[in-house]
Amino acid sequence: MKAVVIDLQEYGPGFRADPYPVYAELRARGPVHRVRLPRPAGYEAWLVVGYEEARAALSDPRLSKDIGAALEEAAEARLIGRHLLNTDPPQHTRLRSLISRAFTARRVEALRPRVQEITDDLLDAMLPRGRADLVEAFAYPLPITVICELLGVPDVDRTAFREMSNEVVAPSSEEAMERAFGRLGDYLDGLIEDKRCAGPADDLLSVLIRTTAEDGDRLSSTELRGMAFLLLVAGHETTVNLIGNGVHDLLAHPDQLAAVRADAELIDDAVEEMLRYDGPVETATFRFAAEPMEIAGAFVDKGEAVVVALAAADRDPGRYPDPDRFDIGRESRGHLAFGHGIHFCLGAPLARLEARTAIRTLLRRAPDLALDGPPGEWLPGMLIRGRRTLPVRW
């Protein structure tokens, strides 16, 4: 029997502002549903909303990440190339092994003093003003500065890069997204060539250019472009919205804010709850059934798309009691905000370091921080969850 298709667009703009009631309604009817997505308009896919089913799908080798020429990601495949999020083993295994040689835990830990320095500099500039858009003044410039310094992107290019990145993760139109992918691909090719010509340097992109496995394997120019794209875009877009969403959630829950202020050591637990409660990635990128298969009673034909709703899974009452309550004291670990399995986010340690440093320092230096009016509109689409603006005062 053909599955009933649920058109998510029929839920209206409220679904973008607060998708959790819709996810709860769907989850009460079953963990997997056939849906029509808001973007690409009218495209059908299987949506996984249950925690256990999502965790299993994220690590199921029958669900391929090889996007080929699929959907809105076709521009990515053509203009950017292969990277960790659009390849399967053995290619994925090879790419992850090569990048892991350069993007090490030691390299991330070495960034700690610089992350603190950037945080303090941003707050030095922001705090005398008394009020600000926290996204523009703090949540955005911190991670973009960190990732650009890490990769060796010149300061002068960062404004243009932000425009391109925003159109990729939350496009205003399909045409604008296509143009952004093209501009990003051209920019990254030029950056890589400049670094090849400049000779050895310590930034991550230069190290990736030189990285060689025991068997002599190296990243090709196309693979370098794909990895630079992933690190630059995923390396800041997610953290911007982790900080923005997290600060908003604290300010909207005074008891939780008071607890963190009373004990700064709770910041680690607070960040994990921020990731679970309203994390920056609403759904994982597309997967495709490599063979006919069943997911929790839903029969998925070969080639059909499967979308794992990370945000829905992390509000599953079967995994987290009273899941709609923001509670930094709960055991939040095990959430799926960074994914699961072989595609678990490589940058999770850096995102955690930045968010913990940023929010802890902000609360210490602005003890009367408060919301200063309603937050801005939510970013479009179902990939990145975050607000365009967050007005605050102190």
Side-chain angles (χ1 to χ4, degrees):
M1 185 174 67
K2 190 173 182 179
V4 174
V5 179
I6 300 167
D7 190 344
L8 296 179
Q9 294 184 90
E10 292 182 353
Y11 288 98
F15 176 65
R16 179 83 297 263
D18 185 6
Y20 297 106
V22 175
Y23 288 144
E25 175 190 324
L26 294 178
R27 197 169 46 241
R29 293 156 56 182
V32 184
H33 298 275
R34 186 76 174 166
V35 300
R36 189 170 294 116
L37 299 170
R39 176 174 282 143
Y43 184 76
E44 293 185 8
W46 293 95
L47 184 71
V48 184
V49 295
Y51 177 87
E52 293 298 339
E53 294 77 14
R55 185 179 172 90
L58 290 170
S59 58
D60 194 324
R62 298 172 298 172
L63 290 175
S64 171
K65 293 287 287 179
D66 188 340
I67 62 174
L71 310 170
E72 84 278 24
E73 295 177 326
E76 179 181 339
R78 294 195 323 274
L79 302 171
I80 298 298
R82 297 298 187 181
H83 51 70
L84 295 179
L85 285 184
N86 60 22
T87 53
D88 300 324
Q91 188 176 11
H92 175 273
T93 308
R94 171 181 164 271
L95 291 175
R96 186 147 186 146
S97 175
L98 283 167
I99 192 171
S100 294
R101 291 172 176 270
F103 193 39
T104 61
R106 179 178 297 178
R107 182 179 284 271
V108 172
E109 181 57 31
L111 290 171
R112 186 179 297 275
R114 181 58 180 148
V115 171
Q116 184 66 63
E117 181 180 25
I118 296 168
T119 298
D120 287 331
D121 288 347
L122 290 170
L123 291 177
D124 287 345
M126 185 184 86
L127 291 178
R129 293 152 50 189
R131 57 178 9 111
D133 169 13
L134 193 74
V135 174
E136 185 68 26
F138 188 60
Y140 169 75
L142 171 60
I144 193 64
T145 302
V146 171
I147 200 65
C148 284
E149 288 186 358
L150 178 64
L151 281 162
V153 174
D155 291 356
V156 70
D157 295 339
R158 292 177 192 175
T159 299
F161 173 75
R162 181 185 188 184
E163 296 173 1
M164 294 183 282
S165 178
N166 286 347
E167 282 294 347
V168 165
V169 301
S172 57
S173 69
E174 302 302 318
E175 294 76 18
M177 180 180 65
E178 180 101 7
R179 289 194 299 270
F181 272 122
R183 290 174 61 202
L184 265 174
D186 291 343
Y187 171 75
L188 293 172
D189 283 342
L191 181 64
I192 291 165
E193 184 59 29
D194 288 347
K195 291 189 176 297
R196 285 191 194 278
C197 295
D202 291 334
D203 64 84
L204 181 57
L205 190 51
S206 295
V207 172
L208 283 172
I209 290 170
R210 301 195 304 270
T211 295
T212 306
E214 286 86 349
D215 60 1
D217 187 22
R218 303 180 75 168
L219 293 168
S220 68
S221 295
T222 302
E223 290 167 342
L224 280 167
R225 181 179 64 218
M227 294 310 304
F229 163 79
L230 181 63
L231 289 166
L232 275 168
V233 174
H236 86 276
E237 290 284 359
T238 51
T239 310
V240 171
N241 296 299
L242 170 55
I243 295 171
N245 294 355
V247 170
H248 175 272
D249 292 336
L250 279 178
L251 296 180
H253 297 85
D255 58 330
Q256 303 300 296
L257 176 62
V260 179
R261 287 198 183 285
D263 183 0
E265 295 299 315
L266 293 177
I267 191 63
D268 289 8
D269 292 336
V271 168
E272 296 308 309
E273 177 66 350
M274 293 167 189
L275 286 160
R276 181 205 70 85
Y277 180 78
D278 207 9
V281 182
E282 185 172 340
T283 62
T285 52
F286 282 81
R287 286 164 164 77
F288 299 91
E291 61 186 63
M293 60 185 295
E294 180 182 339
I295 304 177
F299 293 94
V300 182
D301 283 339
K302 180 178 179 179
E304 290 187 328
V306 175
V307 176
V308 179
L310 306 176
D314 283 339
R315 295 277 191 110
D316 187 338
R319 176 64 177 82
Y320 296 104
D322 196 7
D324 295 324
R325 179 169 55 89
F326 180 67
D327 179 8
I328 66 170
R330 81 162 73 239
E331 179 49 69
S332 299
R333 299 185 192 274
H335 62 71
L336 301 179
F338 290 121
H340 177 65
I342 64 170
H343 293 285
F344 182 84
C345 178
L346 190 71
L350 179 57
R352 285 182 164 119
L353 169 62
E354 291 177 296
R356 291 166 180 171
T357 303
I359 297 172
R360 179 181 60 243
T361 309
L362 174 66
L363 295 181
R364 175 174 56 81
R365 295 190 56 183
D368 54 349
L369 186 72
L371 294 173
D372 191 30
E377 65 179 4
W378 291 92
L379 296 171
M382 291 177 62
L383 176 61
I384 297 294
R385 179 154 177 80
R387 299 170 176 85
R388 293 194 185 278
T389 60
L390 183 63
V392 292
R393 57 181 168 78
W394 52 90

